[in-house]
Amino acid sequence: MADVSANVTIDSIMGRNGLEKWIDACVQLTKPAKIRWCTGSKEESNEFISEMLASGELVQLNPETYPNCYLHRSNPNDVARTEKVTFICTPTRDGAGPTNNWMSPENAAENVLPLFKNAMNGRTMYIIPYLMGAPDSPFAIAGVEITDSLYVVENMRIMTRIGNTALEHIRRTGKFSPGLHSLGDVNPDKRFIMHFPEDRAVWSIGSGYGGNALLGKKCLALRIGSNIGRNDGWMAEHMLILGMEDPQGNITYMAAAFPSACGKTNLAMLIPPEIQKNYKIWTVGDDIAWMRIGEDGRLWATNPEAGFFGVAPGTSYDTNPNAMDTSHSNSIFTNVALTQKNEPWWEGMTPTPPDGLIDWQNRPWNPENGPAAHPNSRFTAPTSQCPNLSPHYNDPKGVPISAIIFGGRRAHVAPLVYQSLSWNHGVYVGASVGSETTAAAEGKVGMVRRDPMAMLPFCGYNMADYFGHWVEMGKNIPNPPKIFHVNWFRKSADGKFLWPGFGENIRVLRWIAERANGRGEAVATPIGYMPANGALDLTGLQISDEAMAELTSIHKDEWLAETEDTGVFLNQFGDRLPAEIRAEFAAQKQRLS
Ligand code: SAT
Ligand code: MN
């Protein structure tokens, strides 16, 4: 390795020589002024928050209406995940595959590691042991994040189980994911999010933003986690988990993958409209699912997180009352606007903006400067505060999944709901997911891109092998979930959403549950099974027959073009693409022509 520091070896900085040696190496490299182990205690949190209030890193929100809630404003150059500078560092380029940025571990050591040199000069290094998953769960995986950002510490405290529980787990198992994070000088040109699957290691520099800096989430639970899952025969997925209880008290559990900022949190926390009130949704998770084959031959899912990092804009007491209630205390708001009453506000929270707003950049709000809250502004809130939290949220073995749902944001093409013809066809459906880009990642918003299983930015290895892992899992699950695709975002010719969405989505979930449980009427189409006439309960819904017809229509020309586009995407994997996926692609094309 280049002359990073005489005492820092690759083995030690990768954590190969254990926790103590890794921490020593990080200290040698970053040269912090102080070192602070995080225990997870309430006192520690109070102290850190006081410190951030004093420095201006946090603003206290109205303690009467939002007790223990704070506003954080990011550097305006650092408000979303940066996919362009996110790398998978496998020994060969093929290991990362054509959809990931790749850098060799040697190149990373040579060119990225030096950015950490003296990066914590004059700053405090916080050492955060954390656990993803319930402490007594066979799913649980421990990590240690080293960071120089107190904002990261307080977000990790909400999003994961930090402190001594995690440390005990590490001492017991001898395993941890070493994650080194520094804000550096928050310079987009020196920003890198590096993953080393062989060592479970992550280096992140130059960003304090959510998915870039809270290393338990996308970095460990998905990119590193997907590698661990492939090797150990389970799945790490970008999925919400919910349970739908029917009037007889039966609960059907479902896992759903949508890209970032496409409504996973809203669906996970859904409250049915009055007329469907004898159905109830239980939230298990809103972003990540780890799924294993249970002894009973079903697929069981757990949510490894302890908090929600939800998109604020559009969240309201109309669209998602559970999220509003969850984040009304003990929460951190990032890049939202501030009202005169010292309360958070964002577009869509109320029909009209209150007077005298301060925008997310701390300026009196002027609509000419854009929205008051950043489109990717967020709330970080404890899962435990969710009013409809499933009693099985902490269950070490998770919940049994009967339906897997894929979806995206599509103004055209994709109908409201369809079911795959088989597991492998379902894997093809997942692999072909297209979605319009959102503000959750940097880049242009609203462009349709292929985002297989909503994992394009999060799959930590060659996506062809990931499809292969799905096919393999299908062979090994005696009683696999049924696979579906939904689209809440279809628009009419005049650009209006055709489906009301939100609570009304219960109607679609009901059909999915019926199908998953071997009931529910369907008709076969070239792309899969669709609800038969009358199979969706539309009682009391104000929707025209024309809108329903468009929502459930399949335009052949559009679908042929869609399939061609999927083919172009899949072709980039060459011979590595599993034969099963190639066969499903060919069969779908055949059915359409
Ligand atoms: O910023 S995060 O990656 O944590 C949220 C998201 O984009 O899904
Ligand atoms: Mn996500």
Side-chain angles (χ1 to χ4, degrees):
M1 185 172 54
D3 63 336
V4 167
S5 166
N7 301 325
V8 178
T9 65
I10 269 291
D11 280 346
S12 61
I13 202 72
M14 288 297 189
R16 292 172 196 155
N17 298 330
L19 182 57
E20 280 76 18
K21 293 241 165 57
W22 174 66
I23 291 172
D24 279 350
C26 292
V27 171
Q28 291 300 328
L29 179 60
T30 62
K31 294 275 193 274
K34 276 195 261 174
I35 297 172
R36 181 75 186 258
W37 275 86
C38 299
T39 63
S41 76
K42 186 73 199 136
E43 296 71 40
E44 166 188 276
S45 176
N46 292 341
E47 180 195 331
F48 291 169
I49 284 169
S50 302
E51 209 176 299
M52 282 192 280
L53 289 173
S55 71
E57 213 175 325
L58 288 185
V59 174
Q60 172 131 38
L61 296 174
N62 189 323
E64 254 127 58
T65 50
Y66 284 86
N68 198 30
C69 286
Y70 306 92
L71 163 66
H72 172 81
R73 298 188 180 104
S74 307
N75 186 318
N77 81 28
D78 188 30
V79 293
R81 273 183 296 103
T82 43
E83 295 178 3
K84 277 203 198 98
V85 292
T86 300
F87 288 83
I88 304 297
C89 305
T90 42
T92 66
R93 185 182 286 275
D94 265 358
T99 59
N100 279 311
N101 300 312
W102 174 78
M103 201 186 285
S104 72
E106 293 74 30
N107 192 349
E110 187 81 21
N111 295 305
V112 176
L113 201 56
L115 297 176
F116 287 92
K117 194 173 177 178
N118 302 330
M120 297 192 190
N121 238 324
R123 302 182 190 168
T124 302
M125 168 188 279
Y126 300 93
I127 304 173
I128 320 167
Y130 68 92
L131 202 59
M132 303 306 290
D136 44 359
S137 167
F139 284 89
I141 295 179
V144 178
E145 176 161 357
I146 284 182
T147 180
D148 52 9
S149 160
L150 270 180
Y151 167 78
V152 166
V153 175
E154 288 311 300
N155 274 274
M156 285 294 284
R157 188 187 307 281
I158 297 173
M159 295 304 298
T160 72
R161 294 149 171 99
I162 79 167
N164 295 336
T165 337
L167 215 46
E168 275 157 32
H169 184 100
I170 296 169
R171 303 257 182 257
R172 200 173 63 243
T173 62
K175 281 199 192 139
F176 70 104
S177 161
L180 174 59
H181 170 254
S182 171
L183 291 171
D185 46 8
V186 198
N187 177 348
D189 297 330
K190 291 191 263 166
R191 183 171 291 161
F192 289 93
I193 325 295
M194 314 294 288
H195 303 75
F196 304 87
E198 295 200 334
D199 292 297
R200 301 190 177 185
V202 182
W203 305 341
S204 167
I205 187 146
S207 168
Y209 173 75
N212 289 341
L214 311 176
L215 302 187
K217 195 174 181 56
K218 308 299 184 177
C219 301
L220 175 55
L222 289 179
R223 297 196 191 99
I224 301 290
S226 58
N227 277 279
I228 303 175
R230 169 186 52 171
N231 294 336
D232 295 355
W234 54 274
M235 311 165 89
E237 299 297 336
H238 191 206
M239 291 179 179
L240 68 89
I241 309 166
L242 63 78
M244 189 189 77
E245 183 171 341
D246 70 16
Q248 289 73 44
N250 306 308
I251 303 182
T252 304
Y253 291 96
M254 315 180 190
F258 309 140
S260 303
C262 289
K264 282 197 298 301
T265 307
N266 290 339
L267 188 64
M269 297 183 181
L270 182 153
I271 297 181
E274 197 55 29
I275 196 163
Q276 300 269 336
K277 172 162 121 270
N278 45 2
Y279 288 83
K280 180 173 166 75
I281 297 296
W282 297 97
T283 307
V284 182
D286 81 326
D287 196 42
I288 296 173
W290 284 351
M291 305 196 286
R292 276 171 201 267
I293 305 170
E295 279 162 15
D296 63 354
R298 290 187 290 175
L299 190 63
W300 289 70
T302 57
N303 166 14
E305 300 191 281
F308 304 113
F309 186 62
V311 179
T315 309
S316 72
Y317 273 104
D318 281 336
T319 60
N320 191 344
N322 281 323
M324 296 298 282
D325 286 342
T326 304
S327 59
H328 241 281
S329 56
N330 310 310
S331 297
I332 298 172
F333 295 85
T334 302
N335 299 334
V336 300
L338 190 63
T339 71
Q340 294 282 298
K341 289 192 201 144
N342 248 1
E343 293 176 345
W345 190 87
W346 48 78
E347 277 68 19
M349 183 200 258
T350 53
T352 47
D355 287 335
L357 277 176
I358 304 294
D359 78 3
W360 67 278
Q361 296 187 69
N362 200 15
R363 306 170 297 194
W365 181 48
N366 175 353
E368 280 171 19
N369 290 335
H374 188 276
N376 191 36
S377 53
R378 300 270 172 165
F379 55 83
T380 317
T383 306
S384 60
Q385 294 183 179
C386 182
N388 63 333
L389 187 65
S390 162
H392 294 288
Y393 156 68
N394 256 319
D395 200 325
K397 65 179 193 310
V399 294
I401 299 297
S402 301
I404 286 176
I405 306 171
F406 295 118
R409 191 181 274 274
R410 293 303 295 272
H412 307 287
V413 188
L416 182 61
V417 58
Y418 61 98
Q419 179 187 356
S420 74
L421 300 167
S422 63
W423 177 271
N424 279 353
H425 179 238
V427 179
Y428 169 79
V429 169
S432 67
V433 164
S435 192
E436 292 153 22
T437 49
T438 69
E442 283 195 333
K444 208 165 160 114
V445 167
M447 309 293 294
V448 174
R449 70 168 183 183
R450 295 289 132 202
D451 189 349
M453 285 82 171
M455 282 286 278
L456 185 72
F458 307 121
C459 179
Y461 61 99
N462 192 312
M463 220 164 197
D465 300 351
Y466 169 78
F467 299 150
H469 182 51
W470 268 83
V471 171
E472 263 331 283
M473 288 296 297
K475 291 182 194 154
N476 295 332
I477 312 171
N479 189 359
K482 302 285 191 296
I483 301 180
F484 299 82
H485 186 285
V486 299
N487 176 25
W488 317 133
F489 301 95
R490 191 140 163 182
K491 288 183 176 168
S492 60
D494 58 355
K496 300 220 170 68
F497 286 116
L498 288 162
W499 179 250
F502 302 107
E504 303 293 357
N505 291 337
I506 190 77
R507 301 168 190 270
V508 176
L509 295 184
R510 281 180 53 195
W511 183 75
I512 289 175
E514 281 170 17
R515 293 293 297 168
N517 293 318
R519 302 187 305 273
E521 295 298 315
V523 288
T525 79
I527 63 165
Y529 299 110
M530 295 192 42
N533 236 331
L536 283 180
D537 180 359
L538 300 177
T539 319
L541 189 65
Q542 304 292 327
I543 191 165
S544 68
D545 291 348
E546 297 76 53
M548 243 3 257
E550 178 60 16
L551 276 166
T552 51
S553 66
I554 300 167
H555 300 298
K556 255 199 179 155
D557 46 340
E558 281 181 358
W559 268 95
L560 271 170
E562 178 80 3
T563 309
E564 285 303 333
D565 194 57
T566 301
V568 171
F569 177 81
L570 294 177
N571 269 337
Q572 70 183 313
F573 299 105
D575 290 346
R576 209 151 169 150
L577 188 72
E580 290 86 347
I581 301 303
R582 208 173 283 288
E584 290 299 336
F585 166 74
Q588 173 118 333
K589 218 167 129 174
Q590 170 98 54
R591 285 192 303 269
L592 280 163
S593 37

